[in-house]
Amino acid sequence: MAKPKRVYQVWKGRNKFICNGMLIFGPDAKSLVVTLLLLLVPIVIFCTHVARNLLHEVSSYNASYAILLVAILLTVYVLVLLFLTSARDPGIVPRNLHPPEEDVTYDSSASLETGTGTQTPIPRIPRTKEVLFNGMVVKVKYCDTCKLYRPPRCSHCSVCDNCVERFDHHCPWVGQCIGQRNYRYFFLFVSSAALLCIFIFAMSALHVKFEIDYYGTVWKAMKESPASIILMAYAFFFLWFVGGLTCFHVYLIATNQTTYENFRHRREDTGRAYDRGCLNNFFEVFCTKIKPSRNNFRAYAQENEPRPLTRRTPEAQIDRRAKVEDDREIGGDLLKISQRRDAE
């Protein structure tokens, strides 16, 4: 008798699971290696070349080891936030085994001929329907892949192939969708990375200043401390990226929007329907309890999944191709997002 499989072993999405389904990543989880290198390599250079020299130069201020300690603790904090962002369920909505029967309609104009010569109407699911959300009527779309009407603010990620609650975007830098259950950690990760860039830049500049005071000329100081100059340029460059992204998401949180809503529905102004006021919006993101996952990836999977009731129409296929392009544009060009927000 075959051993029953667990949910993570037969998962329909493109996610990657480790530790027997305890940790879930996106299909591009390998990009985390690049992100880790971008974080750890400059920190190692800073600790071995800059902070070590500052131990002697600022010893009289009783702050020698504080600089090294702050760098290490801040780096560990950023890495923990990266792990919490990329290794957890972002808010995946479980797929239905079959379409909702109460919403099925039959199109008599397009029917199938049976073996007996009779015409059978083709069952169809309406593409959209209206639901009541927070006292407002909002329109939700039907997902052909997940066989469900997406909850408000939910969208199907074409990269992970899952519907994600309060979908913000798919971030290739963390190898995961950003949604309802990990958006808080994503924002803290980006803002903490910006703070780390500021710290590295400031301490490297301080080291260069001490070198200028010792050698008397800027050129000589630069020749004697190349690591500090490289770190200053590195931190300045990435500060524009993560700093601009932090400012952009502060704006999104203040107005209760997602990146997806800001890009896709910018002119429709639909994202503002969820705006509860600046303070309440920040409270919702940072002070409310994170909902438990709707998926038990280690549970035993159900077998004998029924065949789908409906076919994907040509219109739905066109909409899906456009969705793939939007998801990749939103998730893959974060620098463009921050630069556009700075320009405005």
Side-chain angles (χ1 to χ4, degrees):
M1 182 177 179
K3 184 179 180 180
K5 294 185 178 181
R6 299 185 183 272
V7 171
Y8 76 90
Q9 295 175 316
V10 295
W11 188 250
K12 299 295 184 180
R14 302 192 184 101
N15 303 89
K16 299 180 183 294
F17 296 87
I18 64 173
C19 299
N20 295 325
M22 295 180 64
L23 303 178
I24 174 174
F25 297 88
D28 49 354
K30 291 182 179 179
S31 62
L32 276 171
V33 176
V34 177
T35 304
L36 288 173
L37 290 176
L38 290 174
L39 283 170
L40 294 178
V41 170
I43 288 299
V44 171
I45 296 175
F46 175 81
C47 292
T48 56
H49 290 78
V50 178
R52 186 183 64 178
N53 294 329
L54 286 175
L55 292 178
H56 306 288
E57 294 169 344
V58 299
S59 58
S60 59
Y61 297 103
N62 244 349
S64 53
Y65 289 98
I67 295 174
L68 185 60
L69 183 62
V70 170
I72 294 175
L73 291 179
L74 193 54
T75 302
V76 171
Y77 180 64
V78 171
L79 292 177
V80 170
L81 290 171
L82 175 61
F83 175 79
L84 292 174
T85 301
S86 60
R88 67 188 291 136
D89 177 4
I92 299 173
V93 180
R95 299 187 182 193
N96 283 335
L97 296 180
H98 54 81
E101 296 182 359
E102 65 273 13
D103 294 308
V104 174
T105 59
Y106 293 89
D107 188 355
S108 57
S109 62
S111 57
L112 295 175
E113 184 174 350
T114 63
T116 60
T118 59
Q119 299 289 327
T120 303
I122 295 179
R124 295 186 183 277
I125 297 289
R127 304 304 309 164
T128 62
K129 74 174 183 178
E130 293 183 343
V131 299
L132 193 63
F133 180 77
N134 287 341
M136 300 176 295
V137 176
V138 296
K139 185 177 292 186
V140 296
K141 293 183 178 180
Y142 179 77
C143 179
D144 292 291
T145 302
C146 300
K147 302 182 183 66
L148 52 81
Y149 281 100
R150 303 166 188 161
R153 313 194 81 176
C154 173
S155 184
H156 191 91
C157 175
S158 59
V159 180
C160 294
D161 200 22
N162 296 311
C163 278
V164 179
E165 290 188 278
R166 203 183 186 277
F167 177 75
D168 191 86
H169 68 284
H170 183 92
C171 181
W173 297 101
V174 303
Q176 183 62 281
C177 286
I178 308 302
Q180 185 178 59
R181 299 190 68 250
N182 65 350
Y183 180 78
R184 178 186 305 176
Y185 300 115
F186 170 77
F187 176 81
L188 292 175
F189 163 69
V190 173
S191 56
S192 299
L195 184 60
L196 183 60
C197 287
I198 294 173
F199 180 79
I200 292 177
F201 181 89
M203 293 300 102
S204 300
L206 180 63
H207 181 237
V208 172
K209 177 184 181 302
F210 285 138
E211 295 294 311
I212 293 174
D213 294 340
Y214 181 80
Y215 291 104
T217 62
V218 175
W219 178 247
K220 182 65 176 178
M222 292 176 62
K223 289 180 62 177
E224 294 297 326
S225 56
S228 296
I229 301 301
I230 293 174
L231 287 175
M232 287 177 64
Y234 182 90
F236 182 79
F237 173 79
F238 277 96
L239 182 59
W240 280 100
F241 172 47
V242 292
L245 193 59
T246 299
C247 294
F248 174 67
H249 279 278
V250 167
Y251 162 75
L252 292 180
I253 295 173
T255 55
N256 207 329
Q257 298 183 73
T258 65
T259 302
Y260 180 80
E261 290 168 350
N262 186 267
F263 265 64
R264 196 79 182 265
H265 308 295
R266 189 177 182 187
R267 295 183 178 180
E268 300 176 15
D269 203 34
T270 56
R272 302 297 178 88
Y274 307 101
D275 190 357
R276 300 178 179 178
C278 184
L279 292 179
N280 289 330
N281 292 337
F282 275 93
F283 182 86
E284 179 182 333
V285 172
F286 296 108
C287 300
T288 56
K289 184 179 179 180
I290 296 178
K291 295 182 178 179
S293 174
R294 298 175 63 175
N295 302 278
N296 184 2
F297 299 110
R298 293 178 54 81
Y300 289 107
Q302 300 181 29
E303 298 180 356
N304 300 325
E305 179 177 346
R307 297 179 61 185
L309 182 62
T310 59
R311 300 176 180 178
R312 181 171 292 162
T313 63
E315 293 79 4
Q317 295 176 355
I318 296 173
D319 180 70
R320 178 176 173 81
R321 288 197 294 268
K323 179 69 169 58
V324 171
E325 295 174 0
D326 286 346
D327 287 349
R328 295 192 183 277
E329 176 186 357
I330 293 173
D333 197 4
L334 299 181
L335 180 58
K336 180 179 177 181
I337 297 175
S338 60
Q339 288 177 338
R340 190 190 72 181
R341 180 56 55 195
D342 292 339
E344 293 179 352

